[in-house]
Every structure is written in structure tokens, then in C-alpha cells.
Amino acid sequence: MNLKFRIREKFVSITIAAILLSVGVTAYLNLRDFIRLYKESVSERIFAQCHELTFLIEDITELGLRLGELKGLDKECQKIVESVPYARYCFITNVNDNRAYYHNLPEEAGKIYDDAVTLKAGSVPARIIQEFRTDAGEMMYDFSLPFKTANGRLDGRIRLGVLTDIVYNEVSRLQSRVLLLSLFFIILGTMSIVYFVNISILRPIKKLIQGISVFGRGELDTKIDLKT
């Protein structure tokens, strides 16, 4: 019996360790890929909404109006904020001094931005996403999309700030599901291996030990029938 329990304990321990390692590595790799793909998907959806606003600006500027002369874009900024989950701000700046001509928050209209996020966005002639922490301690993504005038000259940028919760809240929900699924496979794998050990290893060993005991009593014509 002691031999039986030692073998069982060893097999169960090895099995649990192997399952934990394989499930852990697989879950980590899948979660990392999910975060990357989900972030890309969210980014494309957000930039698609920003593009709609750039098309509107470019169409209006074809009429000869300059950026500061356009009307109603503050309301368009507010619509984007309302349509994007976890969005906090949306404003439109020019390329000369990063002045916010239009902002979803009226008190921010006319402000000149000179922070590090703005300076880096202005140094890149293409769309860019930056992650930063606000003064209030919130982690945010800053989406910056440049737009041009009718003659093809870079005229300004649309800036959209969204809390990183838009990605990591979904990731947290996925982590909970992965944890439950991992526990299910660990339990299932452990039960399966215990059953396998009992049927394929422990029972034949027990039969072998019983046969040896019979031989020890002098019954030499006894056969030990082992199938595994």
C-alpha cells in the first residue's frame, strides 16, 4: 500500500506540474496576442471615426475657408467623445502653434498645448498613438491624426484621448474566463491521469505483488496474468 501511494503521489504531482506549466505558458501567449490584436482593432475603429471628421474638414476647406473659420466642429468633437467608450477629450489643433481651435470642452478652446505628448505628435507626419498618465493619475491613449488642406498641405491634427480601460477592462474579463477554463482543464487532467495510473500501473503492480507473495508461499505453479 505504501508503494501504491508513493507512485500515485508522484504521478499526480508530476502531472499537475506539467499541466500547470503548459496551461500557464499557453494562457500567457494567448493573452499577449489577444491584447495586441484587440488593441489594434480598437485603434482602427477609433481612427476610422477620426477620419470621418478629417473628411468633413477637408471638404469644407476646399471652399476656401481656413481652419479657424469653420463652424460647428466643437459639436463634432463632442459627438466623437460620446461615441467612443472611455473617451475623455477630442480637439482639433493647427500645425503652427498647436492651438486648440475646437474642443469638446468649451473652456479648453483656444488653449495652446506644449506638453510632451503634443510635441511628439507634432514631430510625426502620420497618425500616432501614445500612452501617458494624466495629472489625476489616469492612464490614457492619445490618438493623433493629421489632416491636410485642399492643396495637400498639412493643416492640423485631430487629438482624441481615451482611457486605457477600453482595452484592459476587456482583458480583465478574458483573464477571468481563462482562469476558470484553466482550472477546469487542470481538474480534468488530474482526474484523467489518476484514473490512468490506477488502471494501467497500480493495479498491475498490485497483481504482481500478490503473485510474488503466492510464489513466496511455495505455490510455484501460479500464473501472474499481466496485460500491461
Side-chain angles (χ1 to χ4, degrees):
M1 292 298 294
N2 291 335
L3 177 63
K4 177 179 179 180
F5 282 114
R6 284 199 299 270
I7 293 175
R8 177 182 294 170
E9 290 168 0
K10 288 180 180 179
F11 269 88
V12 170
S13 300
I14 293 172
T15 301
I16 292 177
I19 293 175
L20 284 172
L21 179 62
S22 61
V23 170
V25 171
T26 302
Y28 170 75
L29 294 176
N30 288 339
L31 185 62
R32 185 182 62 179
D33 289 339
F34 172 81
I35 293 175
R36 177 179 57 83
L37 293 174
Y38 186 74
K39 185 177 179 180
E40 291 176 358
S41 174
V42 169
S43 299
E44 290 302 322
R45 294 201 303 268
I46 291 176
F47 275 127
Q49 290 185 286
C50 292
H51 269 296
E52 294 182 4
L53 186 52
T54 64
F55 295 149
L56 175 62
I57 294 173
E58 291 171 359
D59 288 343
I60 296 176
T61 54
E62 285 184 355
L63 302 176
L65 296 175
R66 292 179 297 179
L67 183 60
E69 299 173 340
L70 307 182
K71 302 296 183 181
L73 291 185
D74 50 345
K75 296 180 180 179
E76 295 297 328
C77 289
Q78 181 60 33
K79 288 181 182 178
I80 292 181
V81 170
E82 293 173 354
S83 63
V84 176
Y86 302 102
R88 288 293 182 267
Y89 63 77
C90 178
F91 60 91
I92 302 171
T93 65
N94 67 357
V95 296
N96 297 323
D97 57 5
N98 292 316
R99 183 185 299 276
Y101 279 115
Y102 310 94
H103 204 295
N104 66 297
L105 301 175
E107 64 272 18
E108 293 290 319
K111 178 180 177 180
I112 296 178
Y113 287 83
D114 57 359
D115 55 278
V117 176
T118 297
L119 296 178
K120 184 174 181 179
S123 66
V124 179
R127 69 183 196 180
I128 182 176
I129 305 173
Q130 299 181 72
E131 187 172 342
F132 72 101
R133 185 182 297 276
T134 66
D135 294 337
E138 294 179 317
M139 292 302 300
M140 299 195 70
Y141 294 124
D142 182 87
F143 294 82
S144 178
L145 181 67
F147 59 87
K148 300 178 181 180
T149 58
N151 59 11
R153 180 177 57 85
L154 183 62
D155 194 26
R157 284 182 172 273
I158 296 174
R159 299 274 302 282
L160 179 62
V162 184
L163 292 175
T164 56
D165 292 347
I166 194 172
V167 172
Y168 292 107
N169 277 3
E170 182 64 24
V171 170
S172 296
R173 286 193 290 269
L174 179 67
Q175 285 177 324
S176 299
R177 296 172 188 170
V178 169
L179 178 60
L180 292 176
L181 191 61
S182 299
L183 289 175
F184 169 76
F185 279 113
I186 290 172
I187 294 172
L188 180 62
T190 302
M191 293 175 62
S192 299
I193 201 65
V194 169
Y195 175 79
F196 169 78
V197 169
N198 280 326
I199 296 298
S200 302
I201 299 176
L202 297 181
R203 286 185 183 180
I205 288 177
K206 182 179 180 181
K207 187 178 293 186
L208 178 62
I209 292 174
Q210 290 173 344
I212 292 174
S213 298
V214 172
F215 276 115
R217 291 196 299 269
E219 301 178 22
L220 302 181
D221 57 342
T222 301
K223 292 183 179 180
I224 303 175
D225 184 20
L226 296 178
K227 298 180 179 180
T228 178

